[in-house]
Amino acid sequence: MPIVPSDASGKVSLPESFLHRRRFPPEVEFWLNEREGDLILHPRLPNARKLYIEATTGCNLQCRTCIRNVWSDPVAAMSPGTFERILEDLAGLPELNRVIFTSFGEPLSHPHILDMIEAVRKRGLAVTLGSNGLLLTPKISEELVRLGVDRLVVSVDGVNPETYADVRGAALIEVLHNLKSLNEAKGKIGSLTPSLGIEFVALKSNLSELSQLATLASNLGAARVLISNVLPYTEEMYAESLYGHEPRDPFKTGGFPVRLDAWVTWGTMEFPRMHWGAERRCRFVNDRSIVIGWDGGVSPCYALSHNYSYFAIDGRKKRVIRYILGRVQEQSLADIWMSEDYTLFRSEVRIFHFPSCPDCDLRATCDLREQNEGCWGWNPSCADCLWAQDIIRCP
């Protein structure tokens, strides 16, 4: 039978027999879309699984590698009212299982971050916290353990104090002392959480310290080390970048032993890709993630969550415009997630229906590459996204 929109919005409803065969709930609706002459049905399902919350764009550091050096966005914290709207909407996403408090700001600098974490934990959701570790006081560590935060990811971009200070302008010994206090807080009640992850942004100037990173992670009891290339926002950082310049695989894969009380497990080291390749996939879309900015604006990923510029893989400067699909003050999270634009965008990203700009014969003269647009397909375009190449990694 022909399928026609059930109303002017473009949503369609299908026969119950069709839904039953494909195990869709009987009340589900679909967006009807056309791609290269084919009609495609996209189910409207509230099936988001991860929620990234940007508690603040402020930070207690000014790292050389940070996007905050070049963006035009304000320094501000999420208001209690905005966070309450998010809390009210969590029930509308029944498959949601994790909330990640992290961003380009420092979550622990938000005055109510512990209250925010507690409110999420009371709803039975797992919590990941990303931090630079300098505000991780013994008291906060005790609270994180008490609240049941199960993952803590701390950025450490140098194993030697001099290297760390050069990148972050702070003292590594303070971070190590704070992580020791975290382990003591866990030990007091026999807790294995929060499990510790280390994030390391690899540069030409700190690459030689990777061999020491596994030892440091093992000593700290970290379960995971995530290594990322730098997303270069300045010419100085582009000169420090490794991908496309160094031998094809400058990293040695492997893991490290982690002692947990009376037994030992094996930690993992995850490495980035070093060159542009044919395989492109978005972890944010594949993990069904939502990114909520400090002001309540909803974006599909980190890469499109702020206004900034950076240098693409071939050295061309690129301007990114923030992509907002809705605001929590105006719509529920479920309605934003199931909206036509957000649904169709995820579909385009899943099959990566975008051009591959670095492979294009016209790349040297294409002005579209100077912004996040493509010559065909959905805009904003993911045509030369370094996250989709796993060249840039996020927790």
Side-chain angles (χ1 to χ4, degrees):
M1 61 177 293
I3 299 171
V4 296
S6 59
D7 56 41
S9 70
K11 291 182 287 189
V12 300
S13 299
L14 299 178
E16 191 169 329
S17 58
F18 174 91
L19 301 175
H20 178 73
R21 287 197 304 271
R22 286 154 181 80
R23 298 182 179 179
F24 285 123
E27 69 277 6
V28 72
E29 295 178 318
F30 293 76
W31 291 112
L32 180 62
N33 183 37
E34 182 271 337
R35 182 189 293 139
E36 298 179 356
D38 294 325
L39 293 179
I40 304 172
L41 291 170
H42 304 280
R44 299 181 70 251
L45 297 171
N47 58 351
R49 292 190 300 205
K50 287 185 179 180
L51 186 63
Y52 288 79
I53 296 179
E54 181 179 58
T56 178
T57 60
C59 188
N60 55 317
L61 295 180
Q62 196 71 28
C63 303
R64 289 199 299 126
T65 55
C66 187
I67 184 178
R68 297 171 69 256
N69 293 315
V70 296
W71 75 11
S72 56
D73 295 356
V75 176
M78 181 174 285
S79 70
T82 297
F83 183 69
E84 283 299 321
R85 286 299 303 266
I86 295 171
L87 287 179
E88 292 170 4
D89 290 347
L90 296 182
L93 299 172
E95 296 186 27
L96 191 71
N97 56 42
R98 180 171 296 276
V99 173
I100 300 99
F101 287 96
T102 187
S103 67
F104 298 104
E106 169 53 51
L108 289 180
S109 68
H110 193 290
H112 304 299
I113 187 63
L114 293 178
D115 295 330
M116 296 164 78
I117 292 173
E118 184 171 21
V120 170
R121 288 291 298 130
K122 284 182 177 178
R123 285 157 176 79
L125 298 171
V127 168
T128 297
L129 175 67
S131 174
N132 59 42
L134 284 161
L135 300 179
L136 190 67
T137 64
K139 177 60 177 175
I140 289 179
S141 289
E142 291 175 1
E143 286 297 294
L144 296 182
V145 175
R146 180 185 68 83
L147 293 172
V149 173
D150 69 328
R151 296 178 188 171
L152 173 67
V153 181
V154 176
S155 299
V156 179
D157 299 331
V159 178
N160 294 324
E162 298 79 11
T163 306
Y164 180 90
D166 179 60
V167 174
R168 296 198 159 250
L172 177 61
I173 190 66
E174 294 182 28
V175 177
L176 300 183
H177 175 76
N178 290 345
L179 293 178
K180 179 182 177 182
S181 296
L182 172 70
N183 287 331
E184 291 172 351
K186 290 160 61 175
K188 284 181 182 178
I189 63 171
S191 175
L192 298 179
T193 57
S195 66
L196 177 63
I198 301 295
E199 185 177 14
F200 185 95
V201 176
L203 309 166
K204 288 181 178 178
S205 57
N206 66 10
L207 182 61
S208 62
E209 298 180 18
L210 276 179
S211 59
Q212 307 167 56
L213 184 59
T215 301
L216 176 65
S218 180
N219 292 338
L220 292 172
R224 178 191 184 205
V225 173
L226 178 67
I227 300 168
S228 174
N229 284 292
V230 65
L231 184 64
Y233 309 110
T234 63
E235 292 183 358
E236 176 196 10
M237 284 297 99
Y238 184 71
E240 279 265 37
S241 64
L242 293 163
Y243 55 87
H245 306 295
E246 292 293 312
R248 185 161 288 272
D249 186 10
F251 303 128
K252 294 181 179 180
T253 60
F256 52 91
V258 181
R259 179 168 293 280
L260 300 173
D261 292 334
W263 52 283
V264 176
T265 185
W266 197 251
T268 61
M269 295 193 74
E270 301 176 26
F271 297 91
R273 182 189 283 179
M274 297 306 297
H275 288 262
W276 191 266
E279 181 186 3
R280 295 183 290 175
R281 63 191 182 95
C282 176
R283 292 179 183 269
F284 287 95
V285 167
N286 288 355
D287 290 346
R288 301 186 205 163
S289 302
I290 302 175
V291 177
I292 306 179
W294 66 272
D295 58 354
V298 174
S299 299
C301 62
Y302 268 2
L304 297 174
S305 64
H306 282 283
N307 301 292
Y308 60 94
S309 59
Y310 75 97
F311 289 84
I313 196 165
D314 60 355
R316 174 173 289 210
K317 193 171 185 179
K318 185 181 186 72
R319 179 69 181 167
V320 175
I321 304 301
R322 186 183 184 191
Y323 185 34
I324 296 178
L325 289 148
R327 294 187 179 276
V328 298
Q329 297 91 339
E330 301 166 2
Q331 293 175 275
S332 71
L333 277 174
D335 284 342
I336 295 172
W337 174 259
M338 295 188 296
S339 66
E340 185 173 15
D341 279 355
Y342 204 165
T343 301
L344 300 187
F345 175 82
R346 292 195 303 275
S347 174
E348 297 292 286
V349 173
R350 275 192 292 269
I351 66 167
F352 234 85
H353 191 237
F354 300 99
S356 181
C357 291
D359 301 320
C360 179
D361 293 338
L362 303 177
R363 61 186 180 275
T365 58
C366 181
D367 293 338
L368 293 175
R369 293 201 62 202
E370 297 176 1
Q371 50 198 327
N372 53 322
E373 292 188 8
C375 55
W376 56 266
W378 193 277
N379 278 313
S381 178
C382 305
D384 61 356
C385 177
L386 297 178
W387 274 273
Q389 286 282 326
D390 266 352
I391 289 172
I392 307 298
R393 302 289 305 275
C394 288

